[in-house]
Amino acid sequence: MNGKKDLEKSDLYEAVKTLVESSSKHVHLDQQKLFTLFSIAFQYILFKSTKTPGHFIIRIEDSLLAEKLARKAKDETTRKFMQRLLVPRRLAYGNSTFHLDYFPLTTWGTTKDLPREKVQGAIIVKNTSNNPLIDESDFRHVSMDEQAIELFGKNYYLTSLMDISPRTITIAFNEVYEGLDPIQFDFIEEHSDKFVDGVQVSTDLQIEED
């Protein structure tokens, strides 16, 4: 399906190797290739699950983005795994278990009570467009998420995982988070904004289209 646009195996291997060799506990992948970065992060977590079995959490901004990642991730293994994970939102792999939830606290049914000593890693994926789900003002009518903001702060979908997971990988372009170490990959081309007849055309408009 997406084979012609998939990551080169050598690039994927080197990128995962970079994450394996990094000593950073909490990593920020902040480049523009959302689906490429998700493949890298997922393949790293999949590898880690075979070396350090336990629970692994994939927290995506919303279900629509999760479905897009399942279709457009840049390697076949990641796409197939995500397609299987979407509906049950919990999937065993070897001696490990993968869990899928979303930013709102109400979706954390399978992850909020996991024994923290058995959580071994997490991926957090923020969409490239602004979403009211993550704005503090939009939680005023949802008591559970008000409580989450009070406990963990505005970025509770991330900080709550940083508190329990020994390794987190956050994929978010044009965002700044405290306590995260950025890692970038040389094979991902950086784009700059272009100006045409006085009009600024941002490459962000096609940011999800690897």
Side-chain angles (χ1 to χ4, degrees), residues 4-5 16 18 23 28 31 37 45-46 50 57 60 77 81 84 86 90 100 102 130 139 143 147 154 160 182 189-190:
K4 291 183 179 179
K5 296 183 180 180
V16 172
T18 296
S23 60
H28 184 188
Q31 291 171 283
L37 294 175
I45 290 289
L46 201 63
T50 65
I57 300 170
I60 300 173
T77 300
F81 197 106
R84 293 179 60 195
L86 280 177
R90 177 174 177 167
L100 172 65
Y102 306 111
N130 290 328
F139 285 116
S143 60
Q147 293 171 15
K154 182 177 180 180
S160 59
E189 182 180 355
E190 294 297 314

Side-chain angles (χ1 to χ4, degrees), residues 80-117:
K80 287 184 175 179
F81 197 106
M82 283 300 297
Q83 288 163 12
R84 293 179 60 195
L85 182 61
L86 280 177
V87 175
R89 290 176 44 199
R90 177 174 177 167
L91 192 62
Y93 178 76
N95 294 321
S96 294
T97 304
F98 283 72
H99 305 264
L100 172 65
D101 63 21
Y102 306 111
F103 283 13
L105 184 66
T106 52
T107 68
W108 297 5
T110 65
T111 55
K112 63 182 178 62
D113 296 323
L114 292 176
R116 61 184 301 159
E117 69 275 8

Side-chain angles (χ1 to χ4, degrees), residues 168-184:
T168 65
I169 301 176
T170 300
I171 301 172
F173 176 69
N174 207 24
E175 294 285 342
V176 177
Y177 298 103
E178 291 186 7
L180 303 190
D181 297 322
I183 290 180
Q184 296 194 337

Side-chain angles (χ1 to χ4, degrees), residues 109-207:
T110 65
T111 55
K112 63 182 178 62
D113 296 323
L114 292 176
R116 61 184 301 159
E117 69 275 8
K118 293 186 178 181
V119 175
Q120 299 297 338
I123 299 174
I124 301 92
V125 189
K126 185 184 183 303
N127 208 339
T128 54
S129 60
N130 290 328
N131 190 316
L133 284 175
I134 65 166
D135 291 338
E136 181 175 352
S137 60
D138 292 316
F139 285 116
R140 295 304 183 193
H141 64 289
V142 183
S143 60
M144 292 183 67
D145 288 305
E146 280 185 345
Q147 293 171 15
I149 290 171
E150 291 177 3
L151 285 172
F152 304 113
K154 182 177 180 180
N155 298 324
Y156 71 91
Y157 56 87
L158 166 61
T159 55
S160 59
L161 289 177
M162 292 173 66
D163 187 48
I164 66 172
S165 176
R167 192 83 189 271
T168 65
I169 301 176
T170 300
I171 301 172
F173 176 69
N174 207 24
E175 294 285 342
V176 177
Y177 298 103
E178 291 186 7
L180 303 190
D181 297 322
I183 290 180
Q184 296 194 337
F185 305 104
D186 293 339
F187 70 89
I188 296 180
E189 182 180 355
E190 294 297 314
H191 299 281
S192 59
D193 293 347
K194 299 179 181 179
F195 294 84
V196 180
D197 294 331
V199 178
Q200 184 176 9
V201 180
S202 175
T203 53
D204 294 0
L205 295 177
Q206 296 181 352
I207 198 170

